[in-house]
Amino acid sequence: MRETLGGSGVAGATWALVVAAGSGERLGIDRPKAFAVLGGRPLLAESLDRLDRCPWVDAIVVAAPVGWEEPAILLSEELATTKVVSCVSGGATRADSVRAAFVEVSDEALVVLVHDAARPLVDDGVIERVLEPLSRGFDGAVPTLPVDDTLKRVEDGRVAETVPRERLVRAQTPQAFLAPVLRHALEGDVSGATDCASLVERAGLRVAVVEGDPRLLKVTTPADLALVEALARSS
Ligand code: CTP
Ligand code: MG
């Protein structure tokens, strides 16, 4: 299913794909995670609203859970977004959902941002940081945070080794890519990919690392939802 919304109809240089098609199994509620209630409205509303107001984003495509395309469109209308141009049905995996949304991206797009709806507190600062390396010859950019805990590799229920953490980071979204780079990466084998940067890395291309944001935590469990709700209130 694919719905084209009114929107402004303007297809600019920078497109944002919001992947919201996951089932939210670990959250364990009666609806997909994108429609969990955060501050009195669906979780998806937060990132849609914030991306729509971002001056560097020209057009937005939403990948909605199958059967939830209509509520996603209604939500976009209620929010009076001006940049949401299309809402597509997501796929079986995150990468499949990105692929489905990418189909809607104009051939004229220069840059594509991919963002998890499960990270509602996206802001202009991190968007600016991931866009910047693309003008310095990078193919993509990822926001990251350091790893604070000691890391162990486990085999058969026991510790096999302690992994040095100095060169490890946690990757977040939004991730930014030159549009042709992401198009090409999505044409290949996407199995097992939990983010888009890994697809671009696999192709041997250059992905920059920029500072992430602790407020961009991903809602996975009910405790995360409560935490994000508290963070949203404190802003
Ligand atoms: N996602 C998607 N399509 C899928 C799977 C995931 O668009 N088939 C999106 C989710 O909606 C989310 C992001 O990818 O915004 C990160 O995925 P995750 O946090 O794992 O969300 P879910 O897959 O919904 O959660 P769970 O793994 O607990 O089922
Ligand atoms: Mg998942």
Side-chain angles (χ1 to χ4, degrees):
M1 177 175 168
R2 172 187 178 274
E3 297 275 349
T4 303
L5 305 184
S8 63
V10 177
T14 303
W15 287 60
L17 313 182
V18 182
V19 285
S23 58
E25 218 163 285
R26 288 167 290 179
L27 191 57
I29 57 169
D30 62 350
R31 67 194 83 171
K33 181 156 70 183
F35 292 89
V37 179
L38 178 79
R41 58 184 194 169
L43 189 80
L44 174 61
E46 202 63 43
S47 35
L48 269 191
D49 220 2
R50 287 162 176 256
L51 289 168
D52 199 70
R53 280 188 275 116
C54 176
W56 297 289
V57 171
D58 298 306
I60 301 170
V61 180
V62 181
V66 173
W68 288 78
E69 299 86 352
E70 201 65 36
I73 290 160
L74 287 175
L75 177 64
S76 162
E77 286 170 359
E78 267 169 41
L79 295 168
T81 57
T82 60
K83 299 176 185 170
V84 179
V85 293
S86 182
C87 177
V88 300
S89 310
T93 66
R94 183 188 187 278
D96 292 329
S97 297
V98 176
R99 249 186 196 156
F102 196 93
V103 169
E104 301 298 311
V105 173
S106 150
D107 289 342
E108 266 101 78
L110 297 178
V111 169
V112 178
L113 292 160
V114 183
H115 183 59
D116 293 332
R119 301 180 194 270
L121 304 183
V122 56
D123 70 6
D124 292 356
V126 72
I127 293 172
E128 192 172 13
R129 291 200 292 281
V130 290
L131 291 176
E132 192 273 332
L134 302 185
S135 58
R136 285 191 289 118
F138 281 94
D139 299 294
V142 208
T144 63
L145 289 179
V147 176
D148 301 323
D149 295 319
T150 299
L151 296 177
K152 310 271 187 202
R153 192 167 57 77
V154 174
E155 267 169 31
D156 299 327
R158 44 181 288 238
V159 174
E161 72 171 318
T162 298
V163 184
R165 68 183 175 202
E166 291 72 31
R167 293 168 62 202
L168 297 177
V169 293
R170 294 184 285 144
Q172 302 181 309
T173 75
Q175 300 183 349
F177 305 94
L178 298 178
V181 165
L182 186 59
R183 180 178 291 116
H184 185 251
L186 291 169
E187 281 163 7
D189 175 18
V190 299
S191 56
T194 52
D195 75 352
C196 292
S198 59
L199 301 174
V200 173
E201 295 151 24
R202 268 186 215 172
L205 297 170
R206 297 207 309 153
V207 179
V209 164
V210 303
E211 189 190 346
D213 185 343
R215 293 166 49 86
L216 268 173
L217 77 90
K218 182 156 74 79
V219 173
T220 304
T221 64
D224 298 329
L225 193 59
L227 195 51
V228 169
E229 185 127 27
L231 285 171
R233 273 200 305 268
S234 70
S235 61

